[in-house]
Amino acid sequence: MLLYEALIAPFTEFEFMRRALAGIVALSLGGAPIGVFLMLRRMSLVGDAMAHAILPGAAIGFLLSGLNLFAMSFGGLIAGFTVAILAGVVSRVTELKEDASLAAFYLVSLAVGVTIVSMKGTNIDLLHVLFGNILAMDDQTLLVIAFNTSLTLIVMAVIYRPLVIECVDPLYLRTVSRAGAPAHLAFLALVVINLVNGFHALGTLLAVGLMILPAGIAKFWARDITGMMLVAVGSAMLSGYAGLVLSFQTRVPSGPAIILVAAILYIASLLFGRAGGVVRKLFPGRHLEA
């Protein structure tokens, strides 16, 4: 009975908890596979930079329309795509590498976005933009997240083969096919779309958390890409569910609670994961084999 009251009752009794859980499921299905490919392509920090890059656009949407879902979403998408394109252009016409140009743009974007929100909004508005509030998600926001997740899964199914091949042997892909560049651009678009998804639920500072941490967890439990994606989705959902329960039972904010649970899972995987965990490497005996 105590377990029911702690783990299930919050979702059966409160609609906002059910809505938040549905949002977590959608974010996990769309964002976790994207995170796996970011990790495999050594673009994890690019995802973090892009998460901050959407802030000025969302802030301008906020400045014009307040906390309006579509204005902030559209502004975030435009800002994310603009920064991605500018970083690529700068890296090609100068000697600056793409990661360095992204870092510069993301710092400028973060400062501009915080300044814009601070000029019109209150401290509460700023906290909402930076850290989100998944418990305050309404039906409209949930539908937008669900639509973006569906679009992500469809596009991922189309570009899956060139993405996988590029992770393994990009030179081979350029030799046998011209699909590499379109697939890369489509993948960057999916990154931005899922960061906007995460922005509405977890804020700009934590939006990338349910993409990168589950991918890191999956790396310690599976060696093939399909297995990594399944583990990443499962761990993202588990982190979201446990984080919501933790937030409901304590005074920890929902967004940080979700990311903290994911961080605990990551540390446990780092230590005990069957595919490269610390304990596995220190004691590679037969008793640890599957």
Side-chain angles (χ1 to χ4, degrees):
M1 191 64 180
L2 288 177
L3 285 178
Y4 175 84
E5 290 293 331
L7 303 179
I8 299 176
F11 301 98
T12 60
E13 296 178 8
F14 298 100
E15 185 179 356
F16 71 90
M17 290 293 288
R18 293 195 295 272
R19 194 182 292 114
L21 185 60
I24 285 294
V25 171
L27 289 172
S28 301
L29 287 172
I34 296 294
V36 169
F37 280 105
L38 282 173
M39 179 187 65
L40 292 175
R41 294 157 71 95
R42 295 179 174 86
M43 294 173 62
S44 298
L45 291 179
V46 171
D48 186 52
M50 293 293 291
H52 294 82
I54 67 176
L55 182 57
I60 291 173
F62 169 79
L63 191 66
L64 297 176
S65 305
L67 291 172
N68 181 278
L69 171 66
F70 293 103
M72 294 179 71
S73 297
F74 184 72
L77 286 171
I78 296 299
F81 287 132
T82 301
V83 168
I85 293 170
L86 287 176
V89 170
V90 168
S91 67
R92 282 163 177 76
V93 300
T94 69
E95 295 183 358
L96 198 65
K97 295 291 177 90
E98 190 170 18
D99 59 342
S101 60
L102 265 174
F105 279 117
Y106 113 74
L107 289 170
V108 173
S109 299
L110 184 60
V112 171
V114 171
T115 301
I116 291 173
V117 177
S118 300
M119 285 172 57
K120 181 181 178 181
T122 64
N123 287 337
I124 294 176
D125 293 327
L126 183 59
L127 288 174
H128 178 86
V129 170
L130 292 179
F131 299 104
N133 187 0
I134 194 170
L135 297 180
M137 183 184 299
D138 56 17
D139 290 335
Q140 195 176 44
T141 305
L142 182 58
L143 287 174
V144 170
I145 291 176
F147 174 81
N148 288 341
T149 296
S150 301
L151 180 64
T152 297
L153 294 176
I154 292 170
V155 175
M156 280 282 288
V158 174
I159 65 174
Y160 182 77
R161 285 178 62 85
L163 276 182
V164 172
I165 296 172
E166 191 172 30
C167 289
V168 177
D169 192 344
L171 181 60
Y172 172 75
L173 179 63
R174 287 195 292 270
T175 303
V176 302
S177 174
R178 296 181 179 178
H184 180 70
L185 292 175
F187 176 72
L188 287 179
L190 293 182
V191 172
V192 174
I193 288 172
N194 281 274
L195 286 173
V196 170
N197 262 6
F199 164 78
H200 287 301
L202 302 172
T204 187
L205 295 184
L206 300 177
V208 75
L210 274 186
M211 295 172 64
I212 300 303
L213 282 173
I217 292 167
K219 188 70 169 64
F220 291 107
W221 294 103
R223 295 195 181 277
D224 63 284
I225 294 178
T226 303
M228 287 182 191
M229 291 171 67
L230 291 174
V231 174
V233 170
S235 60
M237 290 183 181
L238 177 60
S239 300
Y241 167 76
L244 289 175
V245 171
L246 175 63
S247 177
F248 185 84
Q249 302 293 347
T250 66
R251 300 180 64 181
V252 179
S254 53
I258 292 169
I259 302 305
L260 283 173
V261 172
I264 291 170
L265 291 178
Y266 176 79
I267 293 172
S269 300
L270 173 68
L271 294 174
F272 305 108
R274 57 182 295 179
V278 173
V279 174
R280 181 84 175 196
K281 286 189 172 183
L282 291 177
F283 306 101
R286 295 174 59 88
H287 65 286
L288 288 177
E289 296 180 3

